[in-house]
PDB file of all heavy atoms in Angstrom:
ATOM      1  N   ARG V 306      23.043 -14.647  -7.033  1.00  0.00           N
ATOM      2  CA  ARG V 306      23.391 -16.041  -7.341  1.00  0.00           C
ATOM      3  C   ARG V 306      24.735 -16.461  -6.762  1.00  0.00           C
ATOM      4  O   ARG V 306      24.820 -17.573  -6.300  1.00  0.00           O
ATOM      5  CB  ARG V 306      23.453 -16.297  -8.850  1.00  0.00           C
ATOM      6  CG  ARG V 306      23.827 -17.594  -9.297  1.00  0.00           C
ATOM      7  CD  ARG V 306      23.881 -17.802 -10.910  1.00  0.00           C
ATOM      8  NE  ARG V 306      24.522 -19.102 -11.107  1.00  0.00           N
ATOM      9  CZ  ARG V 306      23.837 -20.223 -11.211  1.00  0.00           C
ATOM     10  NH1 ARG V 306      22.601 -20.273 -10.857  1.00  0.00           N
ATOM     11  NH2 ARG V 306      24.447 -21.442 -11.464  1.00  0.00           N
ATOM     12  N   GLU V 307      25.585 -15.573  -6.724  1.00  0.00           N
ATOM     13  CA  GLU V 307      26.990 -15.919  -6.268  1.00  0.00           C
ATOM     14  C   GLU V 307      27.020 -16.247  -4.803  1.00  0.00           C
ATOM     15  O   GLU V 307      27.760 -17.082  -4.411  1.00  0.00           O
ATOM     16  CB  GLU V 307      27.950 -14.644  -6.478  1.00  0.00           C
ATOM     17  CG  GLU V 307      28.310 -14.491  -8.021  1.00  0.00           C
ATOM     18  CD  GLU V 307      27.151 -14.012  -8.808  1.00  0.00           C
ATOM     19  OE1 GLU V 307      26.261 -13.261  -8.247  1.00  0.00           O
ATOM     20  OE2 GLU V 307      27.039 -14.385  -9.956  1.00  0.00           O
ATOM     21  N   ASN V 308      26.080 -15.629  -3.931  1.00  0.00           N
ATOM     22  CA  ASN V 308      26.253 -15.922  -2.535  1.00  0.00           C
ATOM     23  C   ASN V 308      25.013 -16.820  -1.994  1.00  0.00           C
ATOM     24  O   ASN V 308      24.955 -17.037  -0.889  1.00  0.00           O
ATOM     25  CB  ASN V 308      26.209 -14.559  -1.733  1.00  0.00           C
ATOM     26  CG  ASN V 308      24.995 -13.728  -1.814  1.00  0.00           C
ATOM     27  OD1 ASN V 308      23.946 -14.206  -2.129  1.00  0.00           O
ATOM     28  ND2 ASN V 308      25.105 -12.370  -1.688  1.00  0.00           N
ATOM     29  N   SER V 309      24.233 -17.348  -2.932  1.00  0.00           N
ATOM     30  CA  SER V 309      23.154 -18.078  -2.518  1.00  0.00           C
ATOM     31  C   SER V 309      23.063 -19.413  -3.079  1.00  0.00           C
ATOM     32  O   SER V 309      22.921 -19.626  -4.372  1.00  0.00           O
ATOM     33  CB  SER V 309      21.731 -17.326  -2.910  1.00  0.00           C
ATOM     34  OG  SER V 309      20.651 -18.218  -2.568  1.00  0.00           O
ATOM     35  N   ALA V 310      23.294 -20.442  -2.368  1.00  0.00           N
ATOM     36  CA  ALA V 310      23.269 -21.796  -2.724  1.00  0.00           C
ATOM     37  C   ALA V 310      21.927 -22.178  -3.204  1.00  0.00           C
ATOM     38  O   ALA V 310      21.627 -22.999  -4.088  1.00  0.00           O
ATOM     39  CB  ALA V 310      23.777 -22.729  -1.641  1.00  0.00           C
ATOM     40  N   LEU V 311      20.855 -21.638  -2.605  1.00  0.00           N
ATOM     41  CA  LEU V 311      19.479 -21.967  -2.938  1.00  0.00           C
ATOM     42  C   LEU V 311      19.163 -21.489  -4.409  1.00  0.00           C
ATOM     43  O   LEU V 311      18.538 -22.225  -5.106  1.00  0.00           O
ATOM     44  CB  LEU V 311      18.551 -21.401  -1.961  1.00  0.00           C
ATOM     45  CG  LEU V 311      17.007 -21.590  -2.258  1.00  0.00           C
ATOM     46  CD1 LEU V 311      16.683 -22.997  -2.468  1.00  0.00           C
ATOM     47  CD2 LEU V 311      16.194 -20.989  -1.038  1.00  0.00           C
ATOM     48  N   ILE V 312      19.487 -20.200  -4.692  1.00  0.00           N
ATOM     49  CA  ILE V 312      19.294 -19.717  -6.000  1.00  0.00           C
ATOM     50  C   ILE V 312      20.034 -20.563  -7.069  1.00  0.00           C
ATOM     51  O   ILE V 312      19.528 -20.941  -8.099  1.00  0.00           O
ATOM     52  CB  ILE V 312      19.641 -18.286  -6.155  1.00  0.00           C
ATOM     53  CG1 ILE V 312      18.737 -17.325  -5.300  1.00  0.00           C
ATOM     54  CG2 ILE V 312      19.650 -17.737  -7.640  1.00  0.00           C
ATOM     55  CD1 ILE V 312      18.985 -15.918  -5.408  1.00  0.00           C
ATOM     56  N   GLN V 313      21.311 -20.915  -6.763  1.00  0.00           N
ATOM     57  CA  GLN V 313      21.972 -21.793  -7.643  1.00  0.00           C
ATOM     58  C   GLN V 313      21.352 -23.064  -7.908  1.00  0.00           C
ATOM     59  O   GLN V 313      21.181 -23.560  -9.002  1.00  0.00           O
ATOM     60  CB  GLN V 313      23.517 -21.961  -7.114  1.00  0.00           C
ATOM     61  CG  GLN V 313      24.234 -20.705  -7.072  1.00  0.00           C
ATOM     62  CD  GLN V 313      25.557 -20.951  -6.335  1.00  0.00           C
ATOM     63  OE1 GLN V 313      26.198 -22.035  -6.391  1.00  0.00           O
ATOM     64  NE2 GLN V 313      26.173 -19.931  -5.721  1.00  0.00           N
ATOM     65  N   TYR V 314      20.762 -23.697  -6.758  1.00  0.00           N
ATOM     66  CA  TYR V 314      20.166 -24.975  -6.928  1.00  0.00           C
ATOM     67  C   TYR V 314      18.856 -24.805  -7.747  1.00  0.00           C
ATOM     68  O   TYR V 314      18.577 -25.687  -8.700  1.00  0.00           O
ATOM     69  CB  TYR V 314      19.766 -25.428  -5.558  1.00  0.00           C
ATOM     70  CG  TYR V 314      18.973 -26.674  -5.479  1.00  0.00           C
ATOM     71  CD1 TYR V 314      19.570 -27.923  -5.491  1.00  0.00           C
ATOM     72  CD2 TYR V 314      17.523 -26.752  -5.523  1.00  0.00           C
ATOM     73  CE1 TYR V 314      18.844 -29.116  -5.480  1.00  0.00           C
ATOM     74  CE2 TYR V 314      16.855 -27.803  -5.492  1.00  0.00           C
ATOM     75  CZ  TYR V 314      17.430 -29.133  -5.539  1.00  0.00           C
ATOM     76  OH  TYR V 314      16.694 -30.248  -5.512  1.00  0.00           O
ATOM     77  N   LEU V 315      18.125 -23.736  -7.549  1.00  0.00           N
ATOM     78  CA  LEU V 315      16.815 -23.617  -8.281  1.00  0.00           C
ATOM     79  C   LEU V 315      17.047 -23.479  -9.777  1.00  0.00           C
ATOM     80  O   LEU V 315      16.479 -24.022 -10.633  1.00  0.00           O
ATOM     81  CB  LEU V 315      16.106 -22.379  -7.697  1.00  0.00           C
ATOM     82  CG  LEU V 315      15.572 -22.417  -6.312  1.00  0.00           C
ATOM     83  CD1 LEU V 315      14.995 -21.234  -5.825  1.00  0.00           C
ATOM     84  CD2 LEU V 315      14.329 -23.623  -6.245  1.00  0.00           C
ATOM     85  N   GLU V 316      18.067 -22.545 -10.116  1.00  0.00           N
ATOM     86  CA  GLU V 316      18.352 -22.346 -11.503  1.00  0.00           C
ATOM     87  C   GLU V 316      18.917 -23.591 -12.150  1.00  0.00           C
ATOM     88  O   GLU V 316      18.654 -23.820 -13.451  1.00  0.00           O
ATOM     89  CB  GLU V 316      19.322 -21.071 -11.736  1.00  0.00           C
ATOM     90  CG  GLU V 316      18.636 -19.780 -11.244  1.00  0.00           C
ATOM     91  CD  GLU V 316      19.421 -18.584 -11.786  1.00  0.00           C
ATOM     92  OE1 GLU V 316      20.735 -18.681 -11.711  1.00  0.00           O
ATOM     93  OE2 GLU V 316      18.760 -17.588 -12.158  1.00  0.00           O
ATOM     94  N   ASN V 317      19.751 -24.293 -11.477  1.00  0.00           N
ATOM     95  CA  ASN V 317      20.414 -25.540 -12.033  1.00  0.00           C
ATOM     96  C   ASN V 317      19.266 -26.502 -12.237  1.00  0.00           C
ATOM     97  O   ASN V 317      19.478 -27.447 -13.160  1.00  0.00           O
ATOM     98  CB  ASN V 317      21.414 -26.083 -11.048  1.00  0.00           C
ATOM     99  CG  ASN V 317      22.663 -25.217 -10.981  1.00  0.00           C
ATOM    100  OD1 ASN V 317      22.844 -24.399 -11.869  1.00  0.00           O
ATOM    101  ND2 ASN V 317      23.469 -25.304  -9.970  1.00  0.00           N
ATOM    102  N   HIS V 318      18.141 -26.460 -11.477  1.00  0.00           N
ATOM    103  CA  HIS V 318      17.026 -27.464 -11.844  1.00  0.00           C
ATOM    104  C   HIS V 318      15.932 -26.825 -12.641  1.00  0.00           C
ATOM    105  O   HIS V 318      14.829 -27.328 -12.708  1.00  0.00           O
ATOM    106  CB  HIS V 318      16.547 -27.916 -10.509  1.00  0.00           C
ATOM    107  CG  HIS V 318      17.472 -28.833  -9.753  1.00  0.00           C
ATOM    108  ND1 HIS V 318      18.629 -28.428  -9.075  1.00  0.00           N
ATOM    109  CD2 HIS V 318      17.400 -30.195  -9.610  1.00  0.00           C
ATOM    110  CE1 HIS V 318      19.275 -29.513  -8.613  1.00  0.00           C
ATOM    111  NE2 HIS V 318      18.559 -30.615  -8.957  1.00  0.00           N
ATOM    112  N   GLY V 319      16.223 -25.818 -13.336  1.00  0.00           N
ATOM    113  CA  GLY V 319      15.240 -25.204 -14.310  1.00  0.00           C
ATOM    114  C   GLY V 319      14.120 -24.300 -13.825  1.00  0.00           C
ATOM    115  O   GLY V 319      13.246 -24.104 -14.510  1.00  0.00           O
ATOM    116  N   TYR V 320      14.331 -23.817 -12.631  1.00  0.00           N
ATOM    117  CA  TYR V 320      13.216 -23.001 -11.980  1.00  0.00           C
ATOM    118  C   TYR V 320      13.436 -21.527 -12.414  1.00  0.00           C
ATOM    119  O   TYR V 320      14.556 -20.921 -12.536  1.00  0.00           O
ATOM    120  CB  TYR V 320      13.228 -23.144 -10.587  1.00  0.00           C
ATOM    121  CG  TYR V 320      12.457 -24.208  -9.986  1.00  0.00           C
ATOM    122  CD1 TYR V 320      13.034 -25.529  -9.857  1.00  0.00           C
ATOM    123  CD2 TYR V 320      11.062 -24.093  -9.709  1.00  0.00           C
ATOM    124  CE1 TYR V 320      12.239 -26.526  -9.352  1.00  0.00           C
ATOM    125  CE2 TYR V 320      10.435 -25.176  -9.129  1.00  0.00           C
ATOM    126  CZ  TYR V 320      10.986 -26.394  -9.005  1.00  0.00           C
ATOM    127  OH  TYR V 320      10.231 -27.466  -8.565  1.00  0.00           O
TER     128      TYR V 320
END
Side-chain angles (χ1 to χ4, degrees):
R306 175 180 170 84
E307 289 68 32
N308 63 26
S309 173
L311 179 53
I312 291 181
Q313 294 172 28
Y314 177 88
L315 291 170
E316 291 194 328
N317 291 342
H318 286 77
Y320 275 86

